[in-house]
Amino acid sequence: MLICLTKSRFYVPFIENGSHQYNRIRRTCFFLEILAKIQSEKSWLEESIGNLTEQIKEARDHLWLNNREYDAAEKASLRQAIDQSTMSKESHSRRLQRLDKLCASPYFGRFDFTKDPGSLATLVYVGIHDFSLSSDHQQLIYDWRAPISSIFYDWELGPVWYQSPKGRVEGQVDLKRQYSIRESRFLFMIESAVSVHDEILQNVLGSVSDDKMRNIVSTIQRDQNAIIRNDASDVLVIQGVAGSGKTSIALHRVAYLLYRHKDTISAQDVLILSPNRVFSDYISQVLPELGEENIPEIRMEEIADKILEEKIKYETFEEQIYRLVENPEPKYVARVSFKAEPEFLEKLNKYIFLSKAGEFAAQDIPLGPYVIPADFIDKQYNAASNLSPGRRITRVVESVIKFDKRLRITPEQEASLRKAVRSMVKKRSLTGYYRDFFKWMGHPEILKNLSGSRWEYADVFPLAYLSLRMKGGPDYGHVRHLVVDEMQDYTAVQYKILTWLFKCRKTILGDASQKINPACSSTGETIHEAFPDSELIRLQRSYRSSYEIIRFAQGVAPDADLIPMERHGQEPEVVVTEGESAMHDKLINWATAFKDSGFKSLAIICRRAAQVKRVAAAFADAGLEAHTLDAESSHLNEGIIITTAYLAKGLEFDQVIVPYVSADEYEGETDRGLLYVACTRAMHQLDLAYFGQKSKLLDFFSV
């Protein structure tokens, strides 16, 4: 049952008779009451913040002017009082920010929960944050992450249960409702037995896109909620189809864990491995909208630079992708592919194991009246084979100190002992070690340096892994949870490095169908093998694109696991033109129509960077404003974006145009993946254009 309540603030558009009228008035009164209480709490907080600001200023001025009159203990007490007031002010400011969001949309769901038969039902209103008045602490709105709120996402009417910190709580739900409230306006209500009603979901999915990823708390589905609230798996691997909300789910999971374990983990204890700077900007608003601080981000190249102490120069990931996609020289592709496979890691580990046998030459060590035998030194060094050489030396020194209780070793003798053990380690350069590895394999030709002593990107992480095994690496012990996005683009060696550096819990997500690196594609299964204790979860329903767009994308690259959302729109259009100039004119016509469409974002997604430049030049000549998105970009603008498929991955747009879909541009399996990625960026409208002969990948579609 869909009931429109109001389209203007605090306005009831019509009156009904009987109980319907009473219920409508009661709902409206509760809504107005909540808004009034939130506003009252905001006023109290604003007044408190003002008072605290004045108190802090007065206390600091007083301490400054009377500094000489107080002893050290009195000064410390005054500073502590100032610090406490400052912390209270910051806490009030954070709560005020949350109330601003609640004022715009106080709640989106309600259910009536009865714990014991015959008792009064608890009316649980679910919102993006919890809310209670400071005066009486009565819980008026429950945070979507609260244990009891899971009922809203997981259960229909009837017997239910949820897991509280104290154990399982059972009860009964007799009523469930969903609300749409925007900018303090009550738009409509749905009374439904199911968790998240299709009409609400359709309404959200049918809206236009933003330049930032949005939160999905009001439309979380049951399978998504299970992932978000999964607190048991140390490593969770999510294989999700295009548009399944993988990244959003991972961020909501982070928000849930920060809420669930607020006393032991903070945003600074979480780290996200991000594919590029634009993607980082795109997801930057999700956690703040959920009341959490943004978590630190890092790119794989930054990790390599820390391990290698920035002593190795190499091509970037974007440069590698450019070479693989734009000009795939066969020998280069073969080298990259060879170093991406799990078998390469196995050979590297075997080489490290065998080479360690000759890297240490133990000798007797005279120590005062004693002699520490070489076989004891050798045994202790080999027993610490899982450690880096530096830590192994420390372990040997510690073992020697404990060798005999009668030993009394001075600091000078310990330093001399450490120097003697260090001299037994065979010295070799990192790059020399790596070159010797390829000679040992019998494939020295697979190692090629670029001009200017730069290494190929495919060699950087094997070098970093060798460095970790030789001398250890940076300390990421503070990281309690690692999020790895776009998992399909990382190699076996890169995952081994992540395993070595991050001993924490992990959420790893991606889609093998959206690989942009034609020489590498990790799947949910291969990653599950790399982390034997991991849990692999599949997301098969796609929410981003309309049914017609998904059906078209399925023609490009069939995915039997993908289940499209039944949200209909216009059919994709494929247009043939007389030549490139005519095709540019068609793109300009589409872009001109876009400006009057009500859409916010249009992406023109090319296969090659050179094509991006030519389209951008045509738009500039036509006087149309467009933004070029390239490897140096750090921000995603609204409006018209011109970019490549490998830079658009992970993003979404209201409308997408894919030009140059001719036979000489899109022909192989790599091109199939790129075209699939480009098409699945579209939410509402997809158009394609070409001149010459149409790509065989579009044979399923009749022009």
Side-chain angles (χ1 to χ4, degrees):
M1 177 176 64
L2 177 63
I3 304 174
C4 289
L5 291 182
T6 173
K7 289 193 176 180
S8 61
R9 188 178 299 181
F10 310 151
Y11 174 67
V12 182
F14 57 85
I15 299 297
E16 298 175 350
N17 295 322
S19 61
H20 288 295
Q21 176 186 353
Y22 172 74
N23 289 334
R24 176 180 292 279
I25 293 173
R26 186 174 64 175
R27 283 192 297 270
T28 305
C29 288
F30 177 78
F31 173 59
L32 297 177
E33 180 185 358
I34 283 290
L35 287 180
K37 288 181 177 179
I38 292 174
Q39 198 60 53
S40 173
E41 189 74 2
K42 283 180 62 179
S43 299
W44 178 83
L45 285 169
E46 288 167 351
E47 182 180 354
S48 297
I49 290 171
N51 292 336
L52 285 167
T53 301
E54 188 63 29
Q55 291 173 16
I56 292 167
K57 183 180 181 302
E58 289 178 358
R60 285 174 174 167
D61 291 344
H62 178 77
L63 183 60
W64 173 261
L65 293 173
N66 302 280
N67 186 50
R68 296 182 179 180
E69 297 182 13
Y70 296 110
D71 59 26
E74 291 171 327
K75 291 177 184 177
S77 177
L78 286 170
R79 290 193 185 98
Q80 185 178 18
I82 292 172
D83 290 343
Q84 288 176 343
S85 296
T86 301
M87 291 173 61
S88 295
K89 177 185 172 182
E90 291 173 350
S91 176
H92 285 356
S93 296
R94 288 193 296 270
R95 178 164 169 76
L96 186 60
Q97 290 175 350
R98 291 196 293 271
L99 291 182
D100 282 336
K101 292 184 174 65
L102 279 182
C103 202
S105 181
Y107 49 87
F108 53 80
R110 168 193 161 179
F111 58 90
D112 295 359
F113 177 72
T114 306
K115 186 176 179 181
D116 300 308
S119 63
L120 291 175
T122 300
L123 277 57
V124 180
Y125 285 85
V126 182
I128 197 167
H129 304 301
D130 56 20
F131 174 64
S132 59
L133 290 171
S134 300
S135 55
D136 58 15
H137 301 290
Q138 179 188 359
Q139 190 81 19
L140 299 173
I141 300 172
Y142 289 81
D143 191 293
W144 66 278
R145 298 167 290 186
I148 195 172
S149 298
S150 64
I151 292 174
F152 175 74
Y153 300 108
D154 292 340
W155 294 95
E156 301 176 4
L157 300 183
V160 301
W161 64 269
Y162 70 93
Q163 195 69 33
S164 79
K166 295 182 179 179
R168 177 167 164 151
V169 179
E170 298 181 353
Q172 177 88 10
V173 167
D174 298 314
L175 180 144
K176 289 188 71 174
R177 288 175 178 160
Q178 288 178 256
Y179 307 91
S180 180
I181 303 173
R182 296 290 182 270
E183 298 179 0
S184 302
R185 296 178 180 180
F186 203 139
L187 302 179
F188 61 83
M189 181 202 80
I190 293 175
E191 191 162 320
S192 174
V194 298
S195 55
V196 176
H197 198 283
D198 186 60
E199 290 179 66
I200 292 281
L201 184 58
Q202 292 278 10
N203 181 267
V204 171
L205 296 178
S207 62
V208 296
S209 69
D210 295 316
D211 60 340
K212 297 287 191 295
M213 181 180 282
R214 297 170 291 187
N215 77 73
I216 60 169
V217 292
S218 64
T219 58
I220 293 172
Q221 304 296 289
R222 186 175 299 177
D223 57 343
Q224 296 173 333
N225 191 51
I227 297 173
I228 290 169
R229 294 176 185 263
N230 185 319
D231 203 14
S233 301
D234 287 338
V235 180
L236 194 60
V237 180
I238 306 171
Q239 163 64 42
V241 299
S244 57
K246 300 177 292 295
T247 302
S248 187
I249 291 169
L251 293 174
H252 284 69
R253 183 172 191 238
V254 168
Y256 171 77
L257 293 174
L258 291 173
Y259 177 89
R260 174 74 175 80
H261 303 285
K262 59 173 69 102
D263 295 331
T264 58
I265 186 172
S266 70
Q268 297 306 306
D269 301 324
V270 184
L271 186 65
I272 183 168
L273 189 60
S274 182
N276 55 58
R277 287 183 289 272
V278 170
F279 183 78
S280 301
D281 176 67
Y282 178 59
I283 66 173
S284 62
Q285 292 302 312
V286 175
L287 286 171
E289 281 185 1
L290 298 174
E292 302 293 345
E293 296 178 33
N294 259 326
I295 58 179
E297 298 179 20
I298 195 168
R299 296 186 67 193
M300 204 68 195
E301 290 89 337
E302 295 177 66
I303 294 175
D305 287 340
K306 285 190 175 184
I307 296 172
L308 299 170
E309 299 173 339
E310 299 187 358
K311 294 178 180 178
I312 300 292
K313 296 180 181 179
Y314 56 91
E315 68 176 348
T316 65
F317 177 66
E318 287 78 14
E319 288 174 321
Q320 183 195 70
I321 295 299
Y322 182 89
R323 292 178 68 185
L324 290 169
V325 172
E326 308 257 351
N327 187 24
E329 191 248 321
K331 289 185 178 179
Y332 180 75
V333 175
R335 293 197 297 273
V336 174
S337 301
F338 179 75
K339 297 163 190 173
E341 295 299 325
E343 291 75 18
F344 177 78
L345 175 61
E346 292 176 8
K347 291 178 180 179
L348 186 54
N349 277 326
K350 185 176 180 180
Y351 170 75
I352 293 170
F353 175 78
L354 294 174
S355 63
K356 279 187 174 183
E359 74 177 8
F360 187 71
Q363 301 174 12
D364 292 346
I365 299 179
L367 198 62
Y370 303 97
V371 174
I372 310 300
D375 59 346
F376 176 80
I377 300 292
D378 188 67
K379 182 179 179 181
Q380 298 305 314
Y381 189 84
N382 290 328
S385 60
N386 61 317
L387 303 177
S388 65
R391 295 181 65 187
R392 293 173 81 178
I393 290 169
T394 299
R395 185 67 59 85
V396 171
V397 172
E398 292 172 348
S399 300
V400 169
I401 292 173
K402 300 174 183 177
F403 179 71
D404 193 310
K405 293 182 180 180
R406 293 170 295 176
L407 281 174
R408 295 292 183 267
I409 297 178
T410 65
E412 292 78 11
Q413 287 176 314
E414 183 176 341
S416 178
L417 173 62
R418 185 178 299 275
K419 182 178 180 180
V421 176
R422 189 180 295 114
S423 68
M424 300 175 194
V425 180
K426 181 181 178 181
K427 292 182 174 61
R428 62 168 75 185
S429 71
L430 175 64
T431 55
Y433 199 8
Y434 190 54
R435 292 183 191 280
D436 186 61
F437 164 57
F438 285 90
K439 294 177 183 177
W440 172 80
M441 282 195 299
H443 294 292
E445 76 284 354
I446 301 179
L447 189 61
K448 296 286 185 182
N449 277 77
L450 300 172
S451 59
S453 300
R454 294 174 74 222
W455 291 79
E456 291 181 345
Y457 185 81
D459 291 309
V460 175
F461 293 95
L463 278 165
Y465 179 58
L466 269 180
S467 182
L468 282 176
R469 298 294 301 268
M470 288 173 65
K471 60 178 182 179
D475 182 11
Y476 290 102
H478 68 284
V479 178
R480 305 283 301 280
H481 197 104
L482 177 69
V483 179
V484 181
D485 206 347
E486 304 297 351
M487 68 183 187
Q488 67 276 2
D489 293 328
Y490 297 111
T491 67
V493 173
Q494 288 174 314
Y495 277 111
K496 190 66 176 179
I497 290 173
L498 295 178
T499 304
W500 187 281
L501 291 177
F502 299 95
K503 309 298 183 184
C504 58
R505 303 176 75 178
K506 300 174 182 69
T507 302
I508 305 173
L509 56 141
D511 178 16
S513 298
Q514 297 185 62
K515 68 174 183 177
I516 60 170
N517 186 344
C520 167
S521 181
S522 294
T523 65
E525 288 77 14
T526 58
I527 296 170
H528 184 51
E529 291 175 5
F531 300 94
D533 296 331
S534 63
E535 180 180 357
L536 175 59
I537 296 178
R538 299 181 184 280
L539 293 173
Q540 299 175 323
R541 185 172 292 278
S542 179
Y543 299 97
R544 175 190 297 133
S545 306
S546 68
Y547 180 86
E548 288 73 17
I549 292 172
I550 286 295
R551 186 173 59 185
F552 184 92
Q554 288 285 74
V556 173
D559 185 348
D561 293 332
L562 191 149
I563 303 171
M565 182 73 184
E566 288 284 345
R567 177 176 67 83
H568 290 280
Q570 69 180 64
E571 291 285 350
E573 185 178 5
V574 180
V575 174
V576 59
T577 64
E578 292 298 324
E580 185 176 38
S581 178
M583 186 187 71
H584 288 166
D585 290 340
K586 183 60 180 176
L587 302 185
I588 290 168
N589 290 338
W590 274 330
T592 302
F594 157 77
K595 291 184 174 295
D596 298 322
S597 67
F599 292 153
K600 288 185 178 180
S601 61
L602 163 64
I604 301 174
I605 303 179
C606 305
R607 185 190 185 282
R608 302 179 188 276
Q611 295 166 353
V612 171
K613 293 180 180 179
R614 296 203 294 273
V615 172
F619 272 56
D621 291 342
L624 276 177
E625 182 182 4
H627 305 278
T628 299
L629 186 66
D630 57 29
E632 301 303 317
S633 301
S634 58
H635 178 69
L636 182 65
N637 300 95
E638 284 189 353
I640 301 173
I641 302 292
I642 309 173
T643 189
T644 57
Y646 52 86
L647 288 173
K649 189 161 61 69
L651 307 177
E652 63 183 23
F653 307 91
D654 292 319
Q655 181 179 353
V656 166
I657 299 172
V658 188
Y660 299 98
V661 287
S662 55
D664 57 346
E665 287 294 335
Y666 290 93
E667 54 183 351
E669 288 306 304
T670 295
D671 304 317
R672 186 186 302 277
L674 291 171
L675 185 56
Y676 179 79
V677 167
C679 292
T680 54
R681 300 309 94 201
M683 296 173 61
H684 309 299
Q685 185 172 336
L686 173 65
D687 302 299
L688 302 91
Y690 71 97
F691 56 91
Q693 186 177 357
K694 184 181 68 174
S695 168
K696 292 182 179 180
L697 299 178
L698 297 177
D699 281 348
F700 68 92
F701 189 87
S702 298
V703 179

